[in-house]
Amino acid sequence: MQSRDKHISDLENCLSSVKITDFRGFEFYSLKNKTWNEVLETHQELPLDQADWRKQQEAVWELFTSECTYFLDHLLVLKMIFMNTLKHLQTQEHLLDVDSWRLFANLEELSQTSFGFASSLFSIIKDHVNRSEASPTMDFISVITKYFRGSLCQSHQTYCLNYSAAIFYLENLRQREDFGVYLKWCEQNAQCRRLHLPELLVAPLHRLTRYPLLLRNIWKRSADSTEKITIYSIKEKVEKSIRDLEGKVKWLDNYQKCRRLREIIVWPPLWDRDKRFFIPECLKHVFKDHTAENILSPTNRQLLYEGKLTLAESTRFLDVYLFLFDDFLLVTKTKRNKKKLGGSDPGLLCPSFSPELQTVIKEGGSCTVLDQPIPVDRLVVRSIDPLHVSAFGLRHAFLIQHENRYRQCVAAFLLQAQTENIKTAWMAQLTAAISCFTKNQEMKKVSLSTLPTESSQI
């Protein structure tokens, strides 16, 4: 206890010595909250016939000021207050096990890119305003072309791919007293403007999705046809970047899920799954396989749904955990290990898993496969009338049948959900998976049948 108190006291003393740089030294700091009219109030107004140019300039100004706000109030706060403070603490032997990359990803690169973009826009605007002769044009196309076709979207993609893992990592870290002291000290800084770390970490995601709207606003207010074509093509590129990011996030999430499941799913040998099969010890090496590695490694296999249910057996109820993939259903029973409670590395968890499965993993538990995977095209789902099973104490029940290629039932699972809504959700997910798989198989057959047949002359 005394050792822990001393550790926290030393951490607090170390934090008290941290000096945060004032952000107001940037040249464009005072401009971020001004309107375009305020900037031009000491300059000659454009003639009425050039009002369209003024609208375009206002749209460019909105892009610039919003980038300043994003850089100064979010990225710089994250970097100077949170990331740099963490690095300082680690040089003083505090929070050494906290991985800065897992929490902040490429924040340094993101800050530099945003600062370069805002500074370049500022130079263009400053030259335009200080120009002696009245001119409606502002040469901003080269700047937005350079950054939106360069590192701006790419650096945001890298950050966004790490975001969900970072938030999950943060939630695990917040349970620690020493990290909580660091977090509270940072969030109390006046330059955070009462924003908490999760609200700051999400800012790059919001900024990336706002770029197309800002570019569209400039495009709509541009009068020159060449400019409109250039701006529109840049906007399309940013939107494509966002669509690509969504696909990468889904792929990465599924990849992480499959990788984690390979670590916690246990595949018992044939003779343990079914006592009917007798295999002499001298022959068991013949059945050595790598089922887990083979069945959960394909990156094109999607985990569609997972959750906890209750399996009704002849003499008992068994807690089971089901994993529905796009091509098969896996029924497992959970095994907990209370001795390992809290000992699991947060990196072994996956943020998109359900709380029930995360609890099993944290406790060092596993999921043991009860039966062979059920292909979705051999799966039959039936709702059970409560009248038929109420005598057995079952509620919200449904039946899963595994049929072989001859349409014979080779296995059946009578399952009970916690609520009627959960039962409905499971049946809907199973039905949708069966339908989608069937359609995909039919499309493959059609595509194969339309291939040109090889000539018998060859």
Side-chain angles (χ1 to χ4, degrees):
M1 180 64 72
Q2 291 181 350
S3 175
R4 190 197 69 181
D5 292 343
K6 186 179 186 305
H7 172 70
I8 297 299
S9 177
D10 291 344
L11 176 61
E12 290 173 340
N13 291 334
C14 187
L15 284 168
S16 65
S17 66
V18 176
K19 304 297 181 184
I20 302 297
T21 306
D22 195 331
F23 302 163
R24 288 173 290 185
F26 291 95
E27 190 177 3
F28 50 72
Y29 181 88
S30 60
L31 294 175
K32 67 187 182 74
N33 295 321
K34 288 189 177 182
T35 65
W36 183 238
N37 286 334
E38 289 175 315
V39 174
L40 293 180
E41 62 184 2
T42 59
H43 297 264
Q44 183 179 0
E45 295 288 336
L46 288 173
L48 292 177
D49 61 342
Q50 294 180 352
D52 288 343
W53 292 105
R54 170 60 65 84
K55 292 180 180 179
Q56 183 200 60
Q57 292 165 5
E58 290 174 347
V60 175
W61 182 254
E62 183 185 8
L63 174 63
F64 164 67
T65 54
S66 61
E67 189 69 26
C68 290
T69 301
Y70 168 56
F71 169 69
L72 293 167
D73 295 348
H74 295 92
L75 296 183
L76 211 56
V77 170
L78 277 171
K79 177 185 172 183
M80 302 295 290
I81 296 178
F82 290 89
M83 189 171 74
N84 286 358
T85 299
L86 176 62
K87 289 181 178 179
H88 173 75
L89 291 176
Q90 291 179 335
T91 62
Q92 303 298 317
E93 306 295 322
H94 294 288
L95 301 175
L96 291 175
D97 58 333
V98 176
D99 190 333
S100 181
W101 171 266
R102 287 175 67 181
L103 203 53
F104 302 109
N106 62 328
L107 177 61
E108 186 75 44
E109 176 194 11
L110 210 57
S111 300
Q112 292 177 359
T113 303
S114 178
F115 174 71
F117 182 42
S119 298
S120 299
L121 282 176
F122 175 67
S123 298
I124 294 296
I125 294 170
K126 185 179 179 181
D127 290 344
H128 173 73
V129 172
N130 294 335
R131 200 176 300 162
S132 56
E133 70 278 5
S135 173
T137 60
M138 184 191 297
D139 184 22
F140 63 91
I141 294 295
S142 59
V143 174
I144 65 172
T145 300
K146 173 186 174 181
Y147 280 92
F148 282 110
R149 289 182 175 170
S151 58
L152 195 62
C153 290
Q154 184 178 355
S155 58
H156 276 82
Q157 273 204 356
T158 302
Y159 180 90
C160 294
L161 283 171
N162 185 71
Y163 171 73
S164 61
I167 291 297
F168 189 71
Y169 184 51
L170 173 61
E171 289 305 310
N172 282 277
L173 290 173
R174 290 173 77 167
Q175 300 173 19
R176 293 171 42 175
E177 185 178 3
D178 54 352
F179 188 85
V181 171
Y182 149 78
L183 195 60
K184 182 179 179 181
W185 184 91
C186 291
E187 292 178 343
Q188 286 179 341
N189 189 287
Q191 295 182 86
C192 288
R193 300 173 185 270
R194 297 185 179 181
L195 293 176
H196 299 288
L197 183 53
E199 297 169 294
L200 292 166
L201 288 173
V202 78
L205 277 74
H206 293 164
R207 186 60 181 169
L208 181 59
T209 57
R210 197 182 174 202
Y211 281 135
L213 301 177
L214 294 166
L215 290 170
R216 179 178 175 81
N217 198 24
I218 298 173
W219 170 76
K220 286 171 62 178
R221 298 184 177 194
S222 297
D224 184 86
S225 59
T226 304
E227 276 189 357
K228 286 183 77 75
I229 292 172
T230 303
I231 296 168
Y232 189 82
S233 67
I234 294 173
K235 180 185 77 71
E236 288 288 294
K237 183 184 185 305
V238 178
E239 289 177 341
K240 182 180 182 299
S241 175
I242 294 173
R243 290 193 297 271
D244 291 344
L245 175 63
E246 291 173 349
K248 289 177 181 177
V249 168
K250 290 180 181 177
W251 182 90
L252 182 61
D253 178 62
N254 186 71
Y255 173 79
Q256 290 175 337
K257 283 180 177 179
C258 288
R259 187 160 62 94
R260 301 310 183 209
L261 289 179
R262 287 175 59 182
E263 297 170 1
I264 64 167
I265 290 181
V266 177
W267 299 78
L270 177 66
W271 49 90
D272 284 346
R273 288 203 307 265
D274 196 326
K275 300 302 180 183
R276 293 175 299 171
F277 302 111
F278 168 69
I279 307 297
E281 196 68 35
C282 59
L283 295 179
K284 287 185 177 179
H285 70 280
V286 176
F287 294 87
K288 184 180 179 181
D289 55 24
H290 303 282
T291 312
E293 289 79 359
N294 293 335
I295 203 166
L296 295 179
S297 61
T299 55
N300 59 346
R301 173 164 287 131
Q302 299 290 320
L303 178 62
L304 304 178
Y305 205 61
E306 40 103 4
K308 177 183 175 183
L309 294 169
T310 301
L311 175 65
E313 295 187 328
S314 58
T315 58
R316 61 172 181 167
F317 292 108
L318 181 66
D319 287 336
V320 292
Y321 206 90
L322 272 62
F323 299 94
L324 175 62
F325 292 86
D326 53 355
D327 57 347
F328 69 85
L329 175 69
L330 196 62
V331 182
T332 71
K333 63 177 179 179
T334 56
K335 179 182 179 182
R336 299 172 183 268
N337 186 355
K338 296 290 185 179
K339 293 182 181 179
K340 294 184 180 181
L341 182 60
S344 179
D345 182 357
L348 295 177
L349 303 175
C350 188
S352 53
F353 280 147
S354 69
E356 294 94 341
L357 187 57
Q358 289 181 21
T359 301
V360 172
I361 298 173
K362 285 180 180 179
E363 294 176 353
S366 60
C367 297
T368 304
V369 176
L370 283 181
D371 202 353
Q372 60 181 302
I374 308 174
V376 293
D377 58 335
R378 307 292 187 204
L379 184 64
V380 177
V381 187
R382 302 183 189 277
S383 181
I384 303 298
D385 192 318
L387 293 174
H388 296 153
V389 290
S390 58
F392 299 95
L394 284 172
R395 301 175 63 188
H396 322 301
F398 62 100
L399 185 68
I400 289 177
Q401 293 178 215
H402 180 186
E403 296 183 346
N404 62 18
R405 60 184 298 188
Y406 304 107
R407 314 314 299 182
Q408 292 178 314
C409 181
V410 293
F413 300 90
L414 182 57
L415 298 164
Q416 176 181 247
Q418 292 90 335
T419 66
E420 190 65 24
N421 288 338
I422 295 177
K423 168 189 171 180
T424 303
W426 263 107
M427 294 191 65
Q429 290 286 344
L430 290 165
T431 303
I434 294 169
S435 175
C436 185
F437 184 85
T438 303
K439 288 179 181 178
N440 289 339
Q441 292 299 106
E442 290 175 352
M443 289 176 63
K444 288 180 181 179
K445 289 180 181 179
V446 170
S447 62
L448 288 173
S449 65
T450 56
L451 290 175
T453 56
E454 188 176 278
S455 172
S456 60
Q457 302 281 330
I458 299 176

